[in-house]
Amino acid sequence: MAAPDPAAEDLRRLLGARGDGLLRELERDAQARGLAVMGPSAAGFVASLARVRGGRDLLELGTATGYSSVWLGRVARELGGKVTTVERDAALVQEARANLLKAGLDGVVQVVHGDAFAFLEEPGDRFDLVLLDIVESEYAAALKPVGERLKPRGVLVANHAGSPRAREFNSLALSDERFDVSLLYGFWPGHAPEWDTLTVAVRRESPAGARAGPLG
Ligand SMILES: C[S@@+](CC[C@H](N)C(=O)[O-])C[C@H]1O[C@@H](n2cnc3c(N)ncnc32)[C@H](O)[C@@H]1O
């Protein structure tokens, strides 16, 4: 095994120090149970994107215990927005609701118990930002319906998009003229570097060559 790189270890400590007691508790709990919550650097970055976008209508697909929902919820609360987060596991829904209550975000974050694809099919709001964090092999199928629920200049962030299971998604996103797409490689503390890519797709005002629709 390679010797630890002191610079990488230092960066890990620095990045790992983001967030407060509740977030640390949720990180430790997730690590102990093998739940793949985002980690402070990736979640903090997505929360910053939400802030840039105005933080009003935010959607998360894949809640787990509500860790990244807390990051998004804090931005939404500050900016007068709201977060909808969808989770299909009933026990995790209960846990996430309890954690969001603890964070004082129960009035800001709505945890929907159900399937992400069923949620996307329902008519409803369009979003400023969608965080896609379900099973990576389902990302490709989510691209079209998520794109339809994004406002112009809305942002789609796909977590763990460096996974080979997200290859089809990345390939489709990169060739989808509705989006400007960037793959951001990172080495977030506590996560495997080869999986930590975020794919960030910003919905264009209109696809190349098409007329702009009304702004959402
Ligand atoms: C990686 S975890 C989410 C982590 C969370 N976003 C965080 O960072 O705190 C993925 C979650 O998505 C849920 N999930 C997977 N497929 C889903 C689907 N089709 N609809 C709703 N939830 C789904 C799983 O039950 C799991 O809790």
Short mmCIF file of all heavy atoms in Angstrom, two decimals, residues 45 49 139 143 147 150 154-158 161-162 166-185 197-204:
data_model
loop_
_atom_site.label_atom_id
_atom_site.label_comp_id
_atom_site.label_asym_id
_atom_site.label_seq_id
_atom_site.Cartn_x
_atom_site.Cartn_y
_atom_site.Cartn_z
N PHE A 45 -20.35 22.08 -1.76
CA PHE A 45 -20.28 22.63 -3.12
C PHE A 45 -21.68 22.70 -3.75
O PHE A 45 -22.05 23.71 -4.36
CB PHE A 45 -19.36 21.77 -3.99
CG PHE A 45 -19.29 22.22 -5.41
CD1 PHE A 45 -18.72 23.43 -5.74
CD2 PHE A 45 -19.82 21.44 -6.42
CE1 PHE A 45 -18.67 23.87 -7.06
CE2 PHE A 45 -19.78 21.85 -7.75
CZ PHE A 45 -19.20 23.07 -8.06
N LEU A 49 -23.79 25.98 -5.07
CA LEU A 49 -24.46 26.12 -6.38
C LEU A 49 -25.91 26.53 -6.18
O LEU A 49 -26.44 27.37 -6.93
CB LEU A 49 -24.41 24.80 -7.16
CG LEU A 49 -23.08 24.39 -7.76
CD1 LEU A 49 -23.23 23.03 -8.44
CD2 LEU A 49 -22.60 25.42 -8.77
N TYR A 139 -29.24 6.76 -13.32
CA TYR A 139 -29.06 8.17 -13.69
C TYR A 139 -29.45 8.42 -15.15
O TYR A 139 -30.04 9.44 -15.47
CB TYR A 139 -27.61 8.64 -13.49
CG TYR A 139 -27.18 8.86 -12.06
CD1 TYR A 139 -27.98 8.53 -10.97
CD2 TYR A 139 -25.93 9.42 -11.78
CE1 TYR A 139 -27.56 8.74 -9.67
CE2 TYR A 139 -25.51 9.65 -10.49
CZ TYR A 139 -26.32 9.30 -9.44
OH TYR A 139 -25.89 9.52 -8.15
N LEU A 143 -32.19 11.36 -16.69
CA LEU A 143 -31.73 12.60 -17.34
C LEU A 143 -32.87 13.36 -18.04
O LEU A 143 -33.03 14.57 -17.86
CB LEU A 143 -30.61 12.27 -18.33
CG LEU A 143 -30.01 13.48 -19.04
CD1 LEU A 143 -29.33 14.42 -18.05
CD2 LEU A 143 -29.01 13.03 -20.11
N GLY A 147 -34.37 16.88 -16.73
CA GLY A 147 -34.19 18.05 -17.62
C GLY A 147 -35.50 18.79 -17.82
O GLY A 147 -35.52 20.03 -17.87
N LEU A 150 -36.33 21.12 -14.83
CA LEU A 150 -35.39 22.19 -14.48
C LEU A 150 -35.80 23.48 -15.15
O LEU A 150 -36.19 23.50 -16.32
CB LEU A 150 -33.99 21.85 -14.99
CG LEU A 150 -33.04 21.04 -14.13
CD1 LEU A 150 -31.73 20.86 -14.88
CD2 LEU A 150 -32.80 21.68 -12.78
N GLY A 154 -31.27 26.26 -14.75
CA GLY A 154 -31.29 25.38 -13.59
C GLY A 154 -30.11 24.41 -13.67
O GLY A 154 -29.57 24.16 -14.76
N VAL A 155 -29.74 23.87 -12.51
CA VAL A 155 -28.52 23.05 -12.44
C VAL A 155 -28.87 21.64 -11.98
O VAL A 155 -29.57 21.45 -10.98
CB VAL A 155 -27.53 23.67 -11.41
CG1 VAL A 155 -26.23 22.87 -11.39
CG2 VAL A 155 -27.26 25.13 -11.73
N LEU A 156 -28.37 20.67 -12.73
CA LEU A 156 -28.46 19.27 -12.31
C LEU A 156 -27.09 18.83 -11.83
O LEU A 156 -26.10 18.99 -12.55
CB LEU A 156 -28.88 18.40 -13.51
CG LEU A 156 -28.60 16.90 -13.42
CD1 LEU A 156 -29.36 16.26 -12.26
CD2 LEU A 156 -28.97 16.21 -14.73
N VAL A 157 -27.02 18.31 -10.60
CA VAL A 157 -25.76 17.74 -10.11
C VAL A 157 -25.98 16.26 -9.87
O VAL A 157 -26.89 15.88 -9.13
CB VAL A 157 -25.32 18.40 -8.78
CG1 VAL A 157 -23.97 17.83 -8.34
CG2 VAL A 157 -25.23 19.91 -8.91
N ALA A 158 -25.16 15.45 -10.51
CA ALA A 158 -25.24 14.00 -10.31
C ALA A 158 -24.05 13.58 -9.45
O ALA A 158 -22.90 13.80 -9.83
CB ALA A 158 -25.22 13.29 -11.65
N ALA A 161 -20.76 10.41 -9.94
CA ALA A 161 -20.88 10.19 -11.39
C ALA A 161 -19.61 9.62 -12.01
O ALA A 161 -19.58 9.34 -13.20
CB ALA A 161 -21.29 11.49 -12.08
N GLY A 162 -18.57 9.45 -11.20
CA GLY A 162 -17.37 8.77 -11.69
C GLY A 162 -17.53 7.25 -11.66
O GLY A 162 -16.70 6.52 -12.20
N ALA A 166 -22.42 5.07 -13.91
CA ALA A 166 -22.97 6.33 -14.43
C ALA A 166 -22.43 6.65 -15.83
O ALA A 166 -22.66 7.73 -16.34
CB ALA A 166 -22.64 7.48 -13.48
N ARG A 167 -21.74 5.69 -16.44
CA ARG A 167 -21.10 5.99 -17.73
C ARG A 167 -22.12 6.39 -18.81
O ARG A 167 -21.94 7.36 -19.53
CB ARG A 167 -20.29 4.79 -18.22
CG ARG A 167 -19.39 5.20 -19.37
CD ARG A 167 -18.74 4.08 -20.13
NE ARG A 167 -17.98 4.64 -21.23
CZ ARG A 167 -18.52 5.15 -22.33
NH1 ARG A 167 -19.82 5.16 -22.48
NH2 ARG A 167 -17.76 5.67 -23.30
N GLU A 168 -23.22 5.64 -18.87
CA GLU A 168 -24.22 5.95 -19.90
C GLU A 168 -24.82 7.33 -19.65
O GLU A 168 -25.04 8.11 -20.59
CB GLU A 168 -25.32 4.88 -19.89
CG GLU A 168 -26.26 5.02 -21.07
CD GLU A 168 -27.52 4.15 -20.92
OE1 GLU A 168 -27.59 3.34 -19.98
OE2 GLU A 168 -28.44 4.34 -21.75
N PHE A 169 -25.06 7.63 -18.38
CA PHE A 169 -25.58 8.95 -18.03
C PHE A 169 -24.64 10.05 -18.50
O PHE A 169 -25.05 11.02 -19.15
CB PHE A 169 -25.77 9.04 -16.51
CG PHE A 169 -25.95 10.45 -16.01
CD1 PHE A 169 -27.19 11.08 -16.11
CD2 PHE A 169 -24.88 11.16 -15.48
CE1 PHE A 169 -27.35 12.39 -15.67
CE2 PHE A 169 -25.04 12.47 -15.04
CZ PHE A 169 -26.28 13.08 -15.14
N ASN A 170 -23.34 9.90 -18.19
CA ASN A 170 -22.37 10.93 -18.58
C ASN A 170 -22.32 11.07 -20.10
O ASN A 170 -22.27 12.18 -20.63
CB ASN A 170 -20.98 10.59 -18.03
CG ASN A 170 -20.89 10.86 -16.55
OD1 ASN A 170 -21.42 11.85 -16.05
ND2 ASN A 170 -20.22 9.98 -15.82
N SER A 171 -22.35 9.94 -20.77
CA SER A 171 -22.29 9.97 -22.23
C SER A 171 -23.51 10.70 -22.80
O SER A 171 -23.40 11.56 -23.68
CB SER A 171 -22.20 8.52 -22.72
OG SER A 171 -22.42 8.47 -24.08
N LEU A 172 -24.70 10.37 -22.27
CA LEU A 172 -25.93 11.03 -22.75
C LEU A 172 -25.92 12.53 -22.41
O LEU A 172 -26.27 13.36 -23.25
CB LEU A 172 -27.16 10.40 -22.09
CG LEU A 172 -27.56 9.01 -22.56
CD1 LEU A 172 -28.66 8.46 -21.65
CD2 LEU A 172 -28.02 9.06 -24.01
N ALA A 173 -25.50 12.85 -21.18
CA ALA A 173 -25.51 14.26 -20.75
C ALA A 173 -24.57 15.09 -21.61
O ALA A 173 -24.91 16.20 -22.04
CB ALA A 173 -25.13 14.35 -19.27
N LEU A 174 -23.39 14.53 -21.87
CA LEU A 174 -22.39 15.29 -22.65
C LEU A 174 -22.87 15.58 -24.07
O LEU A 174 -22.43 16.55 -24.69
CB LEU A 174 -21.05 14.54 -22.67
CG LEU A 174 -20.27 14.61 -21.35
CD1 LEU A 174 -19.20 13.52 -21.30
CD2 LEU A 174 -19.62 15.98 -21.18
N SER A 175 -23.74 14.74 -24.58
CA SER A 175 -24.20 14.97 -25.95
C SER A 175 -25.62 15.57 -25.98
O SER A 175 -26.22 15.67 -27.05
CB SER A 175 -24.15 13.66 -26.75
OG SER A 175 -25.01 12.73 -26.13
N ASP A 176 -26.13 15.97 -24.82
CA ASP A 176 -27.49 16.53 -24.75
C ASP A 176 -27.42 18.04 -24.92
O ASP A 176 -26.86 18.74 -24.06
CB ASP A 176 -28.10 16.17 -23.39
CG ASP A 176 -29.58 16.52 -23.29
OD1 ASP A 176 -30.01 17.51 -23.91
OD2 ASP A 176 -30.30 15.81 -22.57
N GLU A 177 -27.99 18.54 -26.00
CA GLU A 177 -27.81 19.96 -26.29
C GLU A 177 -28.62 20.88 -25.37
O GLU A 177 -28.49 22.10 -25.43
CB GLU A 177 -28.11 20.26 -27.76
CG GLU A 177 -29.53 20.00 -28.16
CD GLU A 177 -29.80 20.44 -29.60
OE1 GLU A 177 -28.84 20.59 -30.37
OE2 GLU A 177 -30.99 20.63 -29.92
N ARG A 178 -29.42 20.29 -24.49
CA ARG A 178 -30.11 21.14 -23.51
C ARG A 178 -29.15 21.64 -22.43
O ARG A 178 -29.48 22.57 -21.69
CB ARG A 178 -31.22 20.34 -22.80
CG ARG A 178 -32.37 19.96 -23.69
CD ARG A 178 -33.36 19.09 -22.93
NE ARG A 178 -32.73 17.89 -22.41
CZ ARG A 178 -33.28 17.07 -21.51
NH1 ARG A 178 -34.46 17.37 -21.01
NH2 ARG A 178 -32.66 15.99 -21.10
N PHE A 179 -27.98 21.01 -22.31
CA PHE A 179 -27.13 21.29 -21.15
C PHE A 179 -25.71 21.71 -21.52
O PHE A 179 -25.16 21.26 -22.51
CB PHE A 179 -26.97 20.01 -20.29
CG PHE A 179 -28.25 19.49 -19.72
CD1 PHE A 179 -28.78 18.29 -20.17
CD2 PHE A 179 -28.92 20.17 -18.72
CE1 PHE A 179 -29.95 17.78 -19.64
CE2 PHE A 179 -30.09 19.66 -18.17
CZ PHE A 179 -30.60 18.47 -18.64
N ASP A 180 -25.14 22.55 -20.64
CA ASP A 180 -23.68 22.71 -20.56
C ASP A 180 -23.22 21.74 -19.50
O ASP A 180 -23.68 21.85 -18.35
CB ASP A 180 -23.31 24.12 -20.07
CG ASP A 180 -23.37 25.15 -21.17
OD1 ASP A 180 -23.19 24.78 -22.34
OD2 ASP A 180 -23.59 26.33 -20.84
N VAL A 181 -22.31 20.84 -19.83
CA VAL A 181 -21.97 19.77 -18.88
C VAL A 181 -20.49 19.82 -18.49
O VAL A 181 -19.62 19.97 -19.35
CB VAL A 181 -22.29 18.39 -19.50
CG1 VAL A 181 -21.87 17.26 -18.58
CG2 VAL A 181 -23.78 18.29 -19.80
N SER A 182 -20.23 19.70 -17.20
CA SER A 182 -18.85 19.59 -16.71
C SER A 182 -18.76 18.39 -15.78
O SER A 182 -19.66 18.17 -14.97
CB SER A 182 -18.44 20.82 -15.90
OG SER A 182 -18.71 21.99 -16.62
N LEU A 183 -17.67 17.65 -15.90
CA LEU A 183 -17.41 16.58 -14.94
C LEU A 183 -16.32 17.07 -14.00
O LEU A 183 -15.23 17.43 -14.44
CB LEU A 183 -16.94 15.31 -15.66
CG LEU A 183 -18.04 14.34 -16.09
CD1 LEU A 183 -18.98 14.98 -17.09
CD2 LEU A 183 -17.45 13.07 -16.65
N LEU A 184 -16.63 17.15 -12.72
CA LEU A 184 -15.69 17.68 -11.74
C LEU A 184 -15.15 16.52 -10.91
O LEU A 184 -15.92 15.85 -10.22
CB LEU A 184 -16.38 18.67 -10.80
CG LEU A 184 -17.15 19.82 -11.46
CD1 LEU A 184 -17.76 20.71 -10.38
CD2 LEU A 184 -16.20 20.65 -12.33
N TYR A 185 -13.87 16.31 -11.01
CA TYR A 185 -13.26 15.22 -10.26
C TYR A 185 -12.78 15.73 -8.92
O TYR A 185 -12.17 16.78 -8.84
CB TYR A 185 -12.07 14.63 -11.02
CG TYR A 185 -12.48 14.06 -12.34
CD1 TYR A 185 -12.50 14.86 -13.48
CD2 TYR A 185 -12.87 12.74 -12.45
CE1 TYR A 185 -12.90 14.36 -14.69
CE2 TYR A 185 -13.28 12.22 -13.66
CZ TYR A 185 -13.30 13.04 -14.78
OH TYR A 185 -13.70 12.55 -15.98
N THR A 197 -16.54 11.95 -8.56
CA THR A 197 -16.87 12.91 -9.60
C THR A 197 -18.31 13.42 -9.43
O THR A 197 -19.21 12.66 -9.12
CB THR A 197 -16.77 12.21 -10.96
OG1 THR A 197 -15.49 11.63 -11.04
CG2 THR A 197 -16.97 13.19 -12.10
N LEU A 198 -18.48 14.72 -9.64
CA LEU A 198 -19.82 15.28 -9.76
C LEU A 198 -20.00 15.66 -11.22
O LEU A 198 -19.13 16.33 -11.78
CB LEU A 198 -19.96 16.55 -8.91
CG LEU A 198 -19.82 16.43 -7.40
CD1 LEU A 198 -19.91 17.82 -6.77
CD2 LEU A 198 -20.90 15.52 -6.82
N THR A 199 -21.08 15.26 -11.83
CA THR A 199 -21.40 15.78 -13.16
C THR A 199 -22.37 16.93 -12.95
O THR A 199 -23.40 16.77 -12.30
CB THR A 199 -22.03 14.70 -14.06
OG1 THR A 199 -21.07 13.68 -14.26
CG2 THR A 199 -22.43 15.29 -15.41
N VAL A 200 -21.99 18.09 -13.47
CA VAL A 200 -22.81 19.30 -13.30
C VAL A 200 -23.33 19.70 -14.67
O VAL A 200 -22.54 19.95 -15.58
CB VAL A 200 -21.98 20.45 -12.69
CG1 VAL A 200 -22.82 21.71 -12.56
CG2 VAL A 200 -21.42 20.04 -11.33
N ALA A 201 -24.64 19.70 -14.83
CA ALA A 201 -25.25 20.03 -16.12
C ALA A 201 -26.15 21.25 -15.92
O ALA A 201 -27.09 21.20 -15.13
CB ALA A 201 -26.07 18.85 -16.63
N VAL A 202 -25.83 22.32 -16.59
CA VAL A 202 -26.62 23.56 -16.46
C VAL A 202 -27.55 23.64 -17.66
O VAL A 202 -27.09 23.56 -18.82
CB VAL A 202 -25.70 24.80 -16.43
CG1 VAL A 202 -26.54 26.07 -16.30
CG2 VAL A 202 -24.71 24.68 -15.28
N ARG A 203 -28.84 23.78 -17.37
CA ARG A 203 -29.80 23.81 -18.47
C ARG A 203 -29.67 25.11 -19.22
O ARG A 203 -29.69 26.19 -18.63
CB ARG A 203 -31.23 23.66 -17.93
CG ARG A 203 -32.21 23.19 -18.99
CD ARG A 203 -33.61 23.10 -18.40
NE ARG A 203 -34.53 22.35 -19.22
CZ ARG A 203 -35.01 22.76 -20.39
NH1 ARG A 203 -34.63 23.91 -20.89
NH2 ARG A 203 -35.89 22.01 -21.05
N ARG A 204 -29.47 24.99 -20.52
CA ARG A 204 -29.36 26.19 -21.34
C ARG A 204 -30.70 26.92 -21.40
O ARG A 204 -31.75 26.33 -21.16
CB ARG A 204 -28.93 25.83 -22.75
CG ARG A 204 -27.52 25.27 -22.80
CD ARG A 204 -27.07 25.06 -24.24
NE ARG A 204 -25.65 24.83 -24.30
CZ ARG A 204 -25.08 23.71 -24.77
NH1 ARG A 204 -25.83 22.74 -25.23
NH2 ARG A 204 -23.78 23.59 -24.78
#
